[in-house]
Amino acid sequence: MNPYSGYQSAYKRAAVNTLDQNKLIVMLYDGAIKNTAFAIESMQKKEIERTHNALVKSKNIVAELMSSLNLEKGGEIAKNLQSLYSFMFSQLIEANVQKNPEPAKVVLGLLKELREAWVHIGTPQKAVTPGKASVRPTPNASVDKRLNLRG
């Protein structure tokens, strides 16, 4: 056992407690993306236990994202996110039960798009000084596309 493990876990807890909410959400997306990608890779290698464990971790992170929604303050966006998280949750279950990577691949794509949006939201925007030209980046096609989910 590592004698410093207590200090390391205390440091991690302190780091998480001092993060702003946006960074914490991006970290959750990072964990879900990592575990979902690992599950897909493990599925292709026929590593059943690793696949199961990674999908359960992803499912738990999606459940945490869903439970953190404030439906009263978030309005329509929070309701749409709730539906999307619910869809992802069910797709992760389906991938795990069927050991089929396709539903997990769909979830992975959605997680990456949502993470990108949260990173964009958390990036401070520069104020435009009067008289100076403003340069706006061209929108990313993956951010602008509409999601059409059935099921």
Side-chain angles (χ1 to χ4, degrees), residues 19-27 117-123:
L19 286 174
D20 68 37
Q21 188 171 359
N22 184 278
K23 287 182 183 176
L24 192 55
I25 290 170
V26 171
M27 285 176 62
W118 278 100
V119 167
H120 182 73
I121 290 168
T123 304

Side-chain angles (χ1 to χ4, degrees), residues 34-52:
K34 180 185 90 171
N35 282 294
T36 304
F38 183 72
I40 293 167
E41 180 183 312
S42 297
M43 233 180 280
Q44 292 167 342
K45 294 178 181 178
K46 307 289 187 212
E47 297 173 337
I48 304 301
E49 187 175 351
R50 287 182 183 205
T51 298
H52 171 77

